[in-house]
Amino acid sequence: MTDWVPSEALGRRVLCGTEYATVRYVGSVPPTAGIWLGVEWDDPQRGKHDGTYEGTQYFKCRHPRGGSFIRPNKANFGVDFLTAVKNRYGLNDEQDAQHGTENTLVFGKKTVEFVGMDSIAQQQRQVHINLSKNLISSWETVAAIASEVQNLETLNVSGNKMKFPSTLTSVSSVFSNLRVLALNQTAITWTEVLLCAPGWPRLEELYLTSNNIMVLERPDNVLQTLKLLDLSDNQLLDGNQLHLIAHLPRLEQLILRNSGIASIDFPDAGFGCKTKMFPSLKHLVINDNKISQVAIKHTDDLSKSKESVSLIRFSSLESCVIKLCTIPVSVQIPPAERKGAELDYRKIFGNDWLAAGGNWNPEKNNPSEEFLAAHPRYPSLCLKYGAPEEGELRPQQPSTLKNQLLTLTIKCPEKPEQKAVQTKLPESMTIQRVKGLLYRLLKIPGSELKLSYESSKLEGKEVELDNDLKPLQFYSIENGDCVLVRW
């Protein structure tokens, strides 16, 4: 690397050590001598300023400290695609690929043998190209490379901060067979996606993670073949942005990890009604979002379907309330999580139930139609677990250690000779730790313990404590409840 700067360096991608950047300025920076490159780093932590030096703005950056100046000899501009191929196979400008013996080609000084040509002939018709983490600076360059390939089906250009068309261009046949496209970390906007999309008539999977996409637009007459869309790690403005892509007719998988969504709803249908949104959706992934409310909907005839449908995976969901309505999908939730969620749901909306006419006395219990429309499963949950007691609905006390301790009675129903013991346990203690304590407290020999609990609020019902990794509070255990121990 020297002080040489290629023509049309502005906008080019460069590599400096292990860090990627885009050239935003080429020229002098007084009072220093010589040529400088003003670059905007992919990682803004690498920069020093926003392109302004000693009061003069030489270029602009998205991040206030995402830019800096470097000498040209520190920047690697890479090589063009053809040169890379020649370097890889030891060719010079006069050499080309030549046929050798049967099933061999000679590239410069290297002989490449093709084994099993007949068996891979079919595979060769399906071309997959991975150009990720290169120094490609424009979508035009990608199209030029792809134009040399027939039957391109999979293309990955992730990690290349590129310039995309800003206006609708003539539709090219270069990507006419493309089915899978990864544009992660390319700085593409949703508007630019829609401008390019007419050239992807058969696209089925589109990956757009980490592009700072905040606003969506309705894809009219484009992306109609799309089955999978990944918008993870884009901080969407709000959950309403999803309404704009809700009519993609074939979309089966929507991935929204860490997308800044706080709620998901379906405004075209009330509870108990069928929505027309996401008509083909089977999988919705919303990990790492601080979701407060999700409207999940299912059809009555889902049980007739032979296809297993898994809609949501909640790996880090916080205080999620699930209201069941109607769309053509179903939810698979582990029994322990379902039980905990149902108990929490019953408690969270207990005051609303009372205000709407609910009552602990069955003869006086008459919640309003509005409440039942918004919470259609609430009556069945009350039948299953009992109506929420007044003590459950009181405002929570400050989170001190004293208030977090539960006074519980420990009983062994199958060992009448074992006396009941009263103890105080932190509500955050996991079932596994509770078992360890009980081994010592009750002097139980090495046997597998099975725990459950009874509550005066759940008369005649036992709730199993069947997940060793969950805390006591997960099961809505309260002061005065009785833990039953069996072995």
Side-chain angles (χ1 to χ4, degrees):
M1 291 179 283
T2 67
D3 287 334
W4 171 81
V5 178
S7 60
E8 301 179 355
L10 283 178
R12 288 278 297 271
R13 297 281 292 163
V14 294
L15 182 64
C16 184
T18 59
E19 300 290 338
Y20 290 83
T22 303
V23 177
R24 300 299 186 196
Y25 172 79
V26 180
S28 60
V29 181
T32 62
I35 299 297
W36 290 90
L37 300 180
V39 299
E40 181 179 6
W41 299 99
D42 288 9
D43 179 6
Q45 301 301 319
R46 177 70 172 78
K48 297 180 179 179
H49 50 69
D50 64 351
T52 301
Y53 179 71
E54 293 190 351
T56 301
Q57 186 171 50
Y58 293 90
F59 61 96
K60 295 181 180 180
C61 291
R62 295 184 182 88
H63 192 277
R65 294 184 61 83
S68 62
F69 291 101
I70 62 174
R71 289 295 189 182
N73 64 349
K74 299 293 184 182
N76 182 353
F77 283 87
V79 297
D80 61 73
F81 185 72
L82 182 58
T83 301
V85 173
K86 289 181 177 180
N87 291 342
R88 173 67 178 83
Y89 293 104
L91 298 171
N92 58 40
D93 291 338
E94 288 76 31
Q95 291 175 311
D96 202 345
Q98 300 177 2
H99 283 284
T101 60
E102 186 178 1
N103 290 340
T104 66
L105 283 176
V106 180
F107 290 89
K109 299 177 181 179
K110 297 186 179 181
T111 300
V112 179
E113 181 178 1
F114 296 91
V115 180
M117 291 293 289
D118 294 337
S119 64
I120 66 171
Q122 181 65 31
Q123 297 180 25
Q124 288 182 325
R125 297 174 188 171
Q126 302 174 353
V127 180
H128 309 272
I129 296 181
N130 186 349
L131 297 173
S132 62
K133 278 293 181 181
N134 277 284
L135 298 177
I136 299 172
S137 56
S138 72
W139 181 249
E140 183 180 352
T141 301
V142 175
I145 295 173
S147 66
E148 301 297 325
V149 179
Q150 293 182 348
N151 300 319
L152 177 62
E153 290 203 354
T154 301
L155 175 62
N156 183 0
V157 290
S158 300
N160 294 285
K161 294 293 178 67
M162 289 185 287
K163 181 179 180 181
F164 291 88
S166 57
T167 58
L168 192 62
T169 58
S170 58
V171 178
S172 168
S173 61
V174 171
F175 302 108
S176 59
N177 293 313
L178 192 64
R179 298 185 185 277
V180 180
L181 176 59
L183 292 169
N184 305 320
Q185 295 178 307
T186 56
I188 193 171
T189 66
W190 183 254
T191 299
E192 291 167 342
V193 169
L194 298 185
L195 288 173
C196 294
W200 312 329
R202 298 184 181 180
L203 194 65
E204 296 181 356
E205 299 182 16
L206 179 58
Y207 299 86
L208 297 170
T209 69
S210 303
N211 280 311
N212 200 30
I213 295 173
M214 298 179 65
V215 179
L216 303 178
E217 301 173 42
R218 184 162 180 162
D220 292 323
N221 301 319
V222 292
L223 302 179
Q224 301 301 296
T225 58
L226 203 62
K227 294 182 179 180
L228 182 151
L229 176 61
D230 189 348
L231 289 168
S232 299
D233 298 311
N234 291 291
Q235 298 303 301
L236 297 177
L237 189 62
D238 52 44
N240 293 333
Q241 298 301 311
L242 302 181
H243 302 161
L244 299 170
I245 59 172
H247 298 283
L248 291 172
R250 300 184 184 180
L251 188 64
E252 297 178 359
Q253 299 184 57
L254 180 58
I255 306 173
L256 300 169
R257 293 186 183 92
N258 187 32
S259 55
I261 295 175
S263 63
I264 300 175
D265 63 0
F266 303 90
D268 68 325
F271 291 104
C273 301
K274 185 175 182 179
T275 180
K276 296 181 180 179
M277 293 185 170
F278 298 106
S280 302
L281 191 65
K282 296 178 182 178
H283 304 270
L284 174 62
V285 182
I286 52 175
N287 302 21
D288 304 316
N289 287 287
K290 294 184 178 180
I291 300 290
S292 60
Q293 180 169 305
V294 183
I296 310 286
K297 313 181 181 184
H298 64 89
T299 53
D300 294 335
D301 59 353
L302 184 67
S303 58
K304 301 176 185 177
S305 174
K306 297 180 180 180
E307 186 172 13
S308 176
V309 179
S310 174
L311 176 64
I312 291 190
R313 285 174 268 174
F314 302 111
S315 68
S316 59
L317 210 56
E318 298 184 7
S319 303
C320 178
V321 176
I322 299 177
K323 298 183 178 182
L324 297 182
C325 315
T326 357
I327 56 171
V329 284
S330 177
V331 183
Q332 293 180 346
I333 302 175
E337 292 190 19
R338 177 181 294 277
K339 184 186 301 180
E342 288 177 340
L343 289 169
D344 287 341
Y345 187 94
R346 165 182 157 276
K347 183 188 300 184
I348 289 171
F349 293 100
N351 285 319
D352 292 346
W353 171 71
L354 289 173
N359 197 286
W360 294 285
N361 187 337
E363 296 180 358
K364 299 180 180 179
N365 181 35
N366 188 28
S368 66
E369 292 183 3
E370 291 79 8
F371 179 85
L372 294 177
H375 308 275
R377 287 207 62 214
Y378 203 87
S380 63
L381 294 180
C382 287
L383 288 174
K384 186 175 181 179
Y385 299 109
E389 295 291 336
E390 185 177 359
E392 293 181 83
L393 306 181
R394 290 173 185 166
Q396 292 186 345
Q397 295 177 312
S399 183
T400 63
L401 179 60
K402 180 180 179 181
N403 292 331
Q404 291 177 1
L405 291 176
L406 300 172
T407 301
L408 303 173
T409 300
I410 310 297
K411 291 183 179 180
C412 305
E414 296 178 357
K415 306 288 183 179
E417 69 279 6
Q418 191 88 38
K419 293 183 179 180
V421 178
Q422 193 173 83
T423 187
K424 292 186 177 181
L425 301 176
E427 61 181 12
S428 60
M429 180 177 277
T430 64
I431 303 304
Q432 187 176 38
R433 290 184 176 275
V434 172
K435 288 181 177 180
L437 176 67
L438 293 176
Y439 278 121
R440 298 190 299 273
L441 183 65
L442 302 178
K443 299 180 180 178
I444 300 172
S447 303
E448 180 66 26
L449 295 186
K450 294 183 180 180
L451 304 185
S452 59
Y453 84 93
E454 292 179 331
S455 172
S456 59
K457 302 178 180 63
L458 304 173
E459 188 173 352
K461 297 181 182 293
E462 273 188 44
V463 177
E464 291 185 27
L465 307 179
D466 50 7
N467 190 329
D468 285 354
L469 301 180
K470 296 294 184 182
L472 289 169
Q473 61 191 6
F474 175 80
Y475 293 96
S476 300
I477 297 180
E478 297 184 346
N479 278 319
D481 289 347
C482 181
V483 174
L484 305 177
V485 185
R486 295 180 175 89
W487 65 90

